[in-house]
Amino acid sequence: MRENYLSYGDVVNYFGKTRIADRYKYIYDKMNEYIRARNLEGKLYIHTGILQQVIMDYFVDIFRLKEFHKVDRIDSSRIIAYEAYWILRRKPIQAGPNELDSRLVFANEGFITTLIAHEFLFPEGDTGFTEEEEEQMLNFLKQLNYHLKYRYVDKQNLELMLLSYRTGKYLHL
């Protein structure tokens, strides 16, 4: 019996080089923004080979969902969860070889916390929060960051966490 193997070529043919390159550029630019906003240029860099692997791993997961599980449209919580997972797993944001700054140890986790906050929790056009809601949100982000640093994280629990957040937001729990 012959098994069917999934290759990166299959994934590239399915999504197209442009879409994959656009996603790479988007994440690369967001990582650079994160590094610049913290004045860590020269201390942190983006390992482009690792980032390429992150993007391909992400697209392989999405391909499997679409092809094997017959999912037509991928929910934004799943997109962010899968990207976050592969960034955490591969760690494309790296400290320079002679850097001893303790702020650099969890750069990928900090980036993911920021990405989730900006892309999912505070999307453009959001009407804002009351002072109490903002305090709750900041506490949530601190806990999220702690979780990303010190707890086991997989795609499914990240996705469930984001879905739970969205559900609670709409139900005002």
PDB file of all heavy atoms in Angstrom, residues 107-137:
ATOM      1  N   ALA A 107      11.652  37.007  24.634  1.00  0.00           N
ATOM      2  CA  ALA A 107      11.255  37.934  23.571  1.00  0.00           C
ATOM      3  C   ALA A 107      10.118  37.375  22.716  1.00  0.00           C
ATOM      4  O   ALA A 107       9.197  38.110  22.350  1.00  0.00           O
ATOM      5  CB  ALA A 107      12.455  38.284  22.694  1.00  0.00           C
ATOM      6  N   ASN A 108      10.158  36.097  22.399  1.00  0.00           N
ATOM      7  CA  ASN A 108       9.099  35.506  21.569  1.00  0.00           C
ATOM      8  C   ASN A 108       7.771  35.496  22.302  1.00  0.00           C
ATOM      9  O   ASN A 108       6.726  35.782  21.715  1.00  0.00           O
ATOM     10  CB  ASN A 108       9.495  34.096  21.127  1.00  0.00           C
ATOM     11  CG  ASN A 108      10.626  34.130  20.125  1.00  0.00           C
ATOM     12  OD1 ASN A 108      10.413  34.403  18.952  1.00  0.00           O
ATOM     13  ND2 ASN A 108      11.842  33.877  20.597  1.00  0.00           N
ATOM     14  N   GLU A 109       7.792  35.204  23.601  1.00  0.00           N
ATOM     15  CA  GLU A 109       6.577  35.214  24.398  1.00  0.00           C
ATOM     16  C   GLU A 109       6.014  36.631  24.507  1.00  0.00           C
ATOM     17  O   GLU A 109       4.798  36.834  24.421  1.00  0.00           O
ATOM     18  CB  GLU A 109       6.861  34.636  25.790  1.00  0.00           C
ATOM     19  CG  GLU A 109       7.175  33.165  25.788  1.00  0.00           C
ATOM     20  CD  GLU A 109       8.610  32.785  25.394  1.00  0.00           C
ATOM     21  OE1 GLU A 109       9.424  33.683  25.071  1.00  0.00           O
ATOM     22  OE2 GLU A 109       8.922  31.591  25.404  1.00  0.00           O
ATOM     23  N   GLY A 110       6.900  37.603  24.683  1.00  0.00           N
ATOM     24  CA  GLY A 110       6.464  39.002  24.713  1.00  0.00           C
ATOM     25  C   GLY A 110       5.857  39.422  23.384  1.00  0.00           C
ATOM     26  O   GLY A 110       4.830  40.111  23.344  1.00  0.00           O
ATOM     27  N   PHE A 111       6.487  38.997  22.301  1.00  0.00           N
ATOM     28  CA  PHE A 111       5.954  39.312  20.979  1.00  0.00           C
ATOM     29  C   PHE A 111       4.565  38.717  20.803  1.00  0.00           C
ATOM     30  O   PHE A 111       3.645  39.393  20.329  1.00  0.00           O
ATOM     31  CB  PHE A 111       6.891  38.816  19.872  1.00  0.00           C
ATOM     32  CG  PHE A 111       6.270  38.912  18.505  1.00  0.00           C
ATOM     33  CD1 PHE A 111       6.098  40.145  17.895  1.00  0.00           C
ATOM     34  CD2 PHE A 111       5.821  37.775  17.854  1.00  0.00           C
ATOM     35  CE1 PHE A 111       5.492  40.250  16.650  1.00  0.00           C
ATOM     36  CE2 PHE A 111       5.218  37.859  16.609  1.00  0.00           C
ATOM     37  CZ  PHE A 111       5.050  39.099  16.005  1.00  0.00           C
ATOM     38  N   ILE A 112       4.380  37.464  21.185  1.00  0.00           N
ATOM     39  CA  ILE A 112       3.076  36.808  21.036  1.00  0.00           C
ATOM     40  C   ILE A 112       2.028  37.510  21.882  1.00  0.00           C
ATOM     41  O   ILE A 112       0.894  37.727  21.432  1.00  0.00           O
ATOM     42  CB  ILE A 112       3.161  35.312  21.397  1.00  0.00           C
ATOM     43  CG1 ILE A 112       3.978  34.567  20.356  1.00  0.00           C
ATOM     44  CG2 ILE A 112       1.774  34.693  21.544  1.00  0.00           C
ATOM     45  CD1 ILE A 112       3.456  34.683  18.938  1.00  0.00           C
ATOM     46  N   THR A 113       2.370  37.901  23.097  1.00  0.00           N
ATOM     47  CA  THR A 113       1.422  38.621  23.948  1.00  0.00           C
ATOM     48  C   THR A 113       0.991  39.913  23.259  1.00  0.00           C
ATOM     49  O   THR A 113      -0.202  40.230  23.196  1.00  0.00           O
ATOM     50  CB  THR A 113       2.049  38.938  25.327  1.00  0.00           C
ATOM     51  OG1 THR A 113       2.445  37.709  25.938  1.00  0.00           O
ATOM     52  CG2 THR A 113       1.069  39.673  26.221  1.00  0.00           C
ATOM     53  N   THR A 114       1.938  40.627  22.701  1.00  0.00           N
ATOM     54  CA  THR A 114       1.649  41.868  21.994  1.00  0.00           C
ATOM     55  C   THR A 114       0.825  41.611  20.736  1.00  0.00           C
ATOM     56  O   THR A 114      -0.145  42.317  20.459  1.00  0.00           O
ATOM     57  CB  THR A 114       2.967  42.591  21.623  1.00  0.00           C
ATOM     58  OG1 THR A 114       3.698  42.846  22.823  1.00  0.00           O
ATOM     59  CG2 THR A 114       2.721  43.898  20.906  1.00  0.00           C
ATOM     60  N   LEU A 115       1.185  40.577  19.981  1.00  0.00           N
ATOM     61  CA  LEU A 115       0.446  40.243  18.759  1.00  0.00           C
ATOM     62  C   LEU A 115      -1.007  39.895  19.086  1.00  0.00           C
ATOM     63  O   LEU A 115      -1.924  40.390  18.430  1.00  0.00           O
ATOM     64  CB  LEU A 115       1.122  39.075  18.039  1.00  0.00           C
ATOM     65  CG  LEU A 115       0.510  38.669  16.700  1.00  0.00           C
ATOM     66  CD1 LEU A 115       0.768  39.736  15.640  1.00  0.00           C
ATOM     67  CD2 LEU A 115       1.055  37.325  16.243  1.00  0.00           C
ATOM     68  N   ILE A 116      -1.217  39.073  20.098  1.00  0.00           N
ATOM     69  CA  ILE A 116      -2.576  38.705  20.482  1.00  0.00           C
ATOM     70  C   ILE A 116      -3.347  39.942  20.935  1.00  0.00           C
ATOM     71  O   ILE A 116      -4.504  40.130  20.566  1.00  0.00           O
ATOM     72  CB  ILE A 116      -2.567  37.604  21.564  1.00  0.00           C
ATOM     73  CG1 ILE A 116      -2.121  36.279  20.936  1.00  0.00           C
ATOM     74  CG2 ILE A 116      -3.939  37.465  22.229  1.00  0.00           C
ATOM     75  CD1 ILE A 116      -1.902  35.146  21.929  1.00  0.00           C
ATOM     76  N   ALA A 117      -2.698  40.791  21.713  1.00  0.00           N
ATOM     77  CA  ALA A 117      -3.373  42.009  22.184  1.00  0.00           C
ATOM     78  C   ALA A 117      -3.797  42.889  21.018  1.00  0.00           C
ATOM     79  O   ALA A 117      -4.938  43.340  20.951  1.00  0.00           O
ATOM     80  CB  ALA A 117      -2.461  42.783  23.136  1.00  0.00           C
ATOM     81  N   HIS A 118      -2.903  43.112  20.071  1.00  0.00           N
ATOM     82  CA  HIS A 118      -3.186  44.040  18.972  1.00  0.00           C
ATOM     83  C   HIS A 118      -4.063  43.436  17.881  1.00  0.00           C
ATOM     84  O   HIS A 118      -4.881  44.137  17.292  1.00  0.00           O
ATOM     85  CB  HIS A 118      -1.880  44.544  18.359  1.00  0.00           C
ATOM     86  CG  HIS A 118      -1.152  45.481  19.258  1.00  0.00           C
ATOM     87  ND1 HIS A 118      -0.945  46.799  18.954  1.00  0.00           N
ATOM     88  CD2 HIS A 118      -0.598  45.300  20.480  1.00  0.00           C
ATOM     89  CE1 HIS A 118      -0.296  47.386  19.947  1.00  0.00           C
ATOM     90  NE2 HIS A 118      -0.078  46.487  20.879  1.00  0.00           N
ATOM     91  N   GLU A 119      -3.886  42.162  17.610  1.00  0.00           N
ATOM     92  CA  GLU A 119      -4.605  41.549  16.494  1.00  0.00           C
ATOM     93  C   GLU A 119      -5.953  40.963  16.901  1.00  0.00           C
ATOM     94  O   GLU A 119      -6.839  40.846  16.069  1.00  0.00           O
ATOM     95  CB  GLU A 119      -3.761  40.435  15.861  1.00  0.00           C
ATOM     96  CG  GLU A 119      -2.438  40.903  15.317  1.00  0.00           C
ATOM     97  CD  GLU A 119      -2.575  41.888  14.180  1.00  0.00           C
ATOM     98  OE1 GLU A 119      -3.375  41.631  13.268  1.00  0.00           O
ATOM     99  OE2 GLU A 119      -1.872  42.904  14.201  1.00  0.00           O
ATOM    100  N   PHE A 120      -6.083  40.577  18.158  1.00  0.00           N
ATOM    101  CA  PHE A 120      -7.289  39.870  18.550  1.00  0.00           C
ATOM    102  C   PHE A 120      -8.065  40.589  19.650  1.00  0.00           C
ATOM    103  O   PHE A 120      -9.270  40.746  19.567  1.00  0.00           O
ATOM    104  CB  PHE A 120      -6.921  38.458  19.025  1.00  0.00           C
ATOM    105  CG  PHE A 120      -8.107  37.564  19.200  1.00  0.00           C
ATOM    106  CD1 PHE A 120      -8.726  36.980  18.108  1.00  0.00           C
ATOM    107  CD2 PHE A 120      -8.627  37.310  20.453  1.00  0.00           C
ATOM    108  CE1 PHE A 120      -9.825  36.156  18.259  1.00  0.00           C
ATOM    109  CE2 PHE A 120      -9.724  36.484  20.623  1.00  0.00           C
ATOM    110  CZ  PHE A 120     -10.324  35.905  19.524  1.00  0.00           C
ATOM    111  N   LEU A 121      -7.368  41.052  20.663  1.00  0.00           N
ATOM    112  CA  LEU A 121      -8.054  41.643  21.804  1.00  0.00           C
ATOM    113  C   LEU A 121      -8.439  43.101  21.578  1.00  0.00           C
ATOM    114  O   LEU A 121      -9.472  43.546  22.039  1.00  0.00           O
ATOM    115  CB  LEU A 121      -7.188  41.525  23.060  1.00  0.00           C
ATOM    116  CG  LEU A 121      -6.736  40.111  23.425  1.00  0.00           C
ATOM    117  CD1 LEU A 121      -5.831  40.144  24.642  1.00  0.00           C
ATOM    118  CD2 LEU A 121      -7.924  39.195  23.656  1.00  0.00           C
ATOM    119  N   PHE A 122      -7.575  43.845  20.894  1.00  0.00           N
ATOM    120  CA  PHE A 122      -7.818  45.265  20.627  1.00  0.00           C
ATOM    121  C   PHE A 122      -7.757  45.535  19.132  1.00  0.00           C
ATOM    122  O   PHE A 122      -6.899  46.279  18.672  1.00  0.00           O
ATOM    123  CB  PHE A 122      -6.760  46.148  21.297  1.00  0.00           C
ATOM    124  CG  PHE A 122      -6.597  45.944  22.759  1.00  0.00           C
ATOM    125  CD1 PHE A 122      -5.416  45.409  23.256  1.00  0.00           C
ATOM    126  CD2 PHE A 122      -7.592  46.292  23.647  1.00  0.00           C
ATOM    127  CE1 PHE A 122      -5.239  45.235  24.618  1.00  0.00           C
ATOM    128  CE2 PHE A 122      -7.428  46.118  25.004  1.00  0.00           C
ATOM    129  CZ  PHE A 122      -6.249  45.577  25.498  1.00  0.00           C
ATOM    130  N   PRO A 123      -8.631  44.950  18.343  1.00  0.00           N
ATOM    131  CA  PRO A 123      -8.546  45.187  16.899  1.00  0.00           C
ATOM    132  C   PRO A 123      -8.831  46.649  16.568  1.00  0.00           C
ATOM    133  O   PRO A 123      -9.452  47.363  17.352  1.00  0.00           O
ATOM    134  CB  PRO A 123      -9.631  44.272  16.321  1.00  0.00           C
ATOM    135  CG  PRO A 123     -10.567  44.038  17.450  1.00  0.00           C
ATOM    136  CD  PRO A 123      -9.763  44.132  18.723  1.00  0.00           C
ATOM    137  N   GLU A 124      -8.329  47.060  15.402  1.00  0.00           N
ATOM    138  CA  GLU A 124      -8.581  48.442  14.964  1.00  0.00           C
ATOM    139  C   GLU A 124     -10.069  48.723  14.965  1.00  0.00           C
ATOM    140  O   GLU A 124     -10.871  47.876  14.584  1.00  0.00           O
ATOM    141  CB  GLU A 124      -8.020  48.661  13.557  1.00  0.00           C
ATOM    142  CG  GLU A 124      -6.549  48.969  13.547  1.00  0.00           C
ATOM    143  CD  GLU A 124      -6.096  49.395  12.174  1.00  0.00           C
ATOM    144  OE1 GLU A 124      -6.766  50.257  11.557  1.00  0.00           O
ATOM    145  OE2 GLU A 124      -5.072  48.872  11.735  1.00  0.00           O
ATOM    146  N   GLY A 125     -10.435  49.917  15.405  1.00  0.00           N
ATOM    147  CA  GLY A 125     -11.833  50.300  15.422  1.00  0.00           C
ATOM    148  C   GLY A 125     -12.549  49.903  16.701  1.00  0.00           C
ATOM    149  O   GLY A 125     -13.726  50.192  16.866  1.00  0.00           O
ATOM    150  N   ASP A 126     -11.849  49.212  17.619  1.00  0.00           N
ATOM    151  CA  ASP A 126     -12.464  48.846  18.891  1.00  0.00           C
ATOM    152  C   ASP A 126     -12.825  50.124  19.637  1.00  0.00           C
ATOM    153  O   ASP A 126     -12.067  51.092  19.646  1.00  0.00           O
ATOM    154  CB  ASP A 126     -11.500  47.992  19.726  1.00  0.00           C
ATOM    155  CG  ASP A 126     -12.209  47.191  20.799  1.00  0.00           C
ATOM    156  OD1 ASP A 126     -13.250  47.650  21.295  1.00  0.00           O
ATOM    157  OD2 ASP A 126     -11.716  46.105  21.136  1.00  0.00           O
ATOM    158  N   THR A 127     -13.971  50.136  20.246  1.00  0.00           N
ATOM    159  CA  THR A 127     -14.473  51.358  20.881  1.00  0.00           C
ATOM    160  C   THR A 127     -13.786  51.686  22.196  1.00  0.00           C
ATOM    161  O   THR A 127     -14.037  52.731  22.770  1.00  0.00           O
ATOM    162  CB  THR A 127     -15.992  51.245  21.131  1.00  0.00           C
ATOM    163  OG1 THR A 127     -16.234  50.094  21.946  1.00  0.00           O
ATOM    164  CG2 THR A 127     -16.738  51.127  19.816  1.00  0.00           C
ATOM    165  N   GLY A 128     -12.959  50.817  22.670  1.00  0.00           N
ATOM    166  CA  GLY A 128     -12.254  51.103  23.910  1.00  0.00           C
ATOM    167  C   GLY A 128     -12.899  50.442  25.110  1.00  0.00           C
ATOM    168  O   GLY A 128     -13.909  49.759  25.007  1.00  0.00           O
ATOM    169  N   PHE A 129     -12.282  50.671  26.252  1.00  0.00           N
ATOM    170  CA  PHE A 129     -12.705  50.027  27.478  1.00  0.00           C
ATOM    171  C   PHE A 129     -12.922  51.068  28.560  1.00  0.00           C
ATOM    172  O   PHE A 129     -12.331  52.146  28.541  1.00  0.00           O
ATOM    173  CB  PHE A 129     -11.609  49.064  27.969  1.00  0.00           C
ATOM    174  CG  PHE A 129     -11.338  47.933  27.037  1.00  0.00           C
ATOM    175  CD1 PHE A 129     -10.249  47.973  26.167  1.00  0.00           C
ATOM    176  CD2 PHE A 129     -12.146  46.813  27.031  1.00  0.00           C
ATOM    177  CE1 PHE A 129      -9.984  46.919  25.322  1.00  0.00           C
ATOM    178  CE2 PHE A 129     -11.888  45.749  26.175  1.00  0.00           C
ATOM    179  CZ  PHE A 129     -10.813  45.808  25.329  1.00  0.00           C
ATOM    180  N   THR A 130     -13.751  50.698  29.525  1.00  0.00           N
ATOM    181  CA  THR A 130     -13.847  51.516  30.727  1.00  0.00           C
ATOM    182  C   THR A 130     -12.551  51.311  31.505  1.00  0.00           C
ATOM    183  O   THR A 130     -11.757  50.409  31.203  1.00  0.00           O
ATOM    184  CB  THR A 130     -15.037  51.071  31.608  1.00  0.00           C
ATOM    185  OG1 THR A 130     -14.775  49.745  32.088  1.00  0.00           O
ATOM    186  CG2 THR A 130     -16.356  51.120  30.833  1.00  0.00           C
ATOM    187  N   GLU A 131     -12.338  52.124  32.520  1.00  0.00           N
ATOM    188  CA  GLU A 131     -11.124  52.004  33.328  1.00  0.00           C
ATOM    189  C   GLU A 131     -11.031  50.617  33.972  1.00  0.00           C
ATOM    190  O   GLU A 131      -9.969  50.006  34.010  1.00  0.00           O
ATOM    191  CB  GLU A 131     -11.131  53.103  34.402  1.00  0.00           C
ATOM    192  CG  GLU A 131      -9.770  53.416  34.961  1.00  0.00           C
ATOM    193  CD  GLU A 131      -9.809  54.638  35.856  1.00  0.00           C
ATOM    194  OE1 GLU A 131     -10.176  55.724  35.358  1.00  0.00           O
ATOM    195  OE2 GLU A 131      -9.472  54.487  37.032  1.00  0.00           O
ATOM    196  N   GLU A 132     -12.175  50.121  34.444  1.00  0.00           N
ATOM    197  CA  GLU A 132     -12.201  48.793  35.076  1.00  0.00           C
ATOM    198  C   GLU A 132     -11.903  47.692  34.055  1.00  0.00           C
ATOM    199  O   GLU A 132     -11.139  46.766  34.326  1.00  0.00           O
ATOM    200  CB  GLU A 132     -13.562  48.546  35.720  1.00  0.00           C
ATOM    201  CG  GLU A 132     -13.672  47.195  36.397  1.00  0.00           C
ATOM    202  CD  GLU A 132     -15.058  46.947  36.975  1.00  0.00           C
ATOM    203  OE1 GLU A 132     -15.744  47.919  37.333  1.00  0.00           O
ATOM    204  OE2 GLU A 132     -15.447  45.770  37.032  1.00  0.00           O
ATOM    205  N   GLU A 133     -12.488  47.804  32.870  1.00  0.00           N
ATOM    206  CA  GLU A 133     -12.250  46.811  31.825  1.00  0.00           C
ATOM    207  C   GLU A 133     -10.791  46.834  31.380  1.00  0.00           C
ATOM    208  O   GLU A 133     -10.192  45.788  31.133  1.00  0.00           O
ATOM    209  CB  GLU A 133     -13.161  47.071  30.620  1.00  0.00           C
ATOM    210  CG  GLU A 133     -14.622  46.774  30.874  1.00  0.00           C
ATOM    211  CD  GLU A 133     -15.528  47.258  29.758  1.00  0.00           C
ATOM    212  OE1 GLU A 133     -15.178  48.250  29.064  1.00  0.00           O
ATOM    213  OE2 GLU A 133     -16.590  46.650  29.580  1.00  0.00           O
ATOM    214  N   GLU A 134     -10.221  48.031  31.297  1.00  0.00           N
ATOM    215  CA  GLU A 134      -8.816  48.137  30.900  1.00  0.00           C
ATOM    216  C   GLU A 134      -7.915  47.472  31.933  1.00  0.00           C
ATOM    217  O   GLU A 134      -6.973  46.761  31.583  1.00  0.00           O
ATOM    218  CB  GLU A 134      -8.417  49.604  30.724  1.00  0.00           C
ATOM    219  CG  GLU A 134      -7.007  49.762  30.188  1.00  0.00           C
ATOM    220  CD  GLU A 134      -6.670  51.207  29.877  1.00  0.00           C
ATOM    221  OE1 GLU A 134      -7.570  52.048  29.779  1.00  0.00           O
ATOM    222  OE2 GLU A 134      -5.466  51.475  29.719  1.00  0.00           O
ATOM    223  N   GLU A 135      -8.212  47.664  33.208  1.00  0.00           N
ATOM    224  CA  GLU A 135      -7.429  47.024  34.261  1.00  0.00           C
ATOM    225  C   GLU A 135      -7.548  45.498  34.174  1.00  0.00           C
ATOM    226  O   GLU A 135      -6.553  44.782  34.294  1.00  0.00           O
ATOM    227  CB  GLU A 135      -7.892  47.499  35.638  1.00  0.00           C
ATOM    228  CG  GLU A 135      -7.053  46.943  36.769  1.00  0.00           C
ATOM    229  CD  GLU A 135      -7.502  47.461  38.128  1.00  0.00           C
ATOM    230  OE1 GLU A 135      -8.116  48.543  38.204  1.00  0.00           O
ATOM    231  OE2 GLU A 135      -7.220  46.757  39.122  1.00  0.00           O
ATOM    232  N   GLN A 136      -8.756  45.015  33.926  1.00  0.00           N
ATOM    233  CA  GLN A 136      -8.957  43.573  33.765  1.00  0.00           C
ATOM    234  C   GLN A 136      -8.179  43.044  32.565  1.00  0.00           C
ATOM    235  O   GLN A 136      -7.580  41.971  32.619  1.00  0.00           O
ATOM    236  CB  GLN A 136     -10.442  43.247  33.608  1.00  0.00           C
ATOM    237  CG  GLN A 136     -11.239  43.403  34.879  1.00  0.00           C
ATOM    238  CD  GLN A 136     -12.737  43.174  34.649  1.00  0.00           C
ATOM    239  OE1 GLN A 136     -13.196  43.102  33.509  1.00  0.00           O
ATOM    240  NE2 GLN A 136     -13.477  43.069  35.726  1.00  0.00           N
ATOM    241  N   MET A 137      -8.182  43.820  31.482  1.00  0.00           N
ATOM    242  CA  MET A 137      -7.473  43.400  30.284  1.00  0.00           C
ATOM    243  C   MET A 137      -5.964  43.348  30.530  1.00  0.00           C
ATOM    244  O   MET A 137      -5.288  42.398  30.120  1.00  0.00           O
ATOM    245  CB  MET A 137      -7.785  44.342  29.111  1.00  0.00           C
ATOM    246  CG  MET A 137      -7.138  43.921  27.821  1.00  0.00           C
ATOM    247  SD  MET A 137      -7.569  42.254  27.293  1.00  0.00           S
ATOM    248  CE  MET A 137      -9.309  42.419  27.103  1.00  0.00           C
TER     249      MET A 137
END
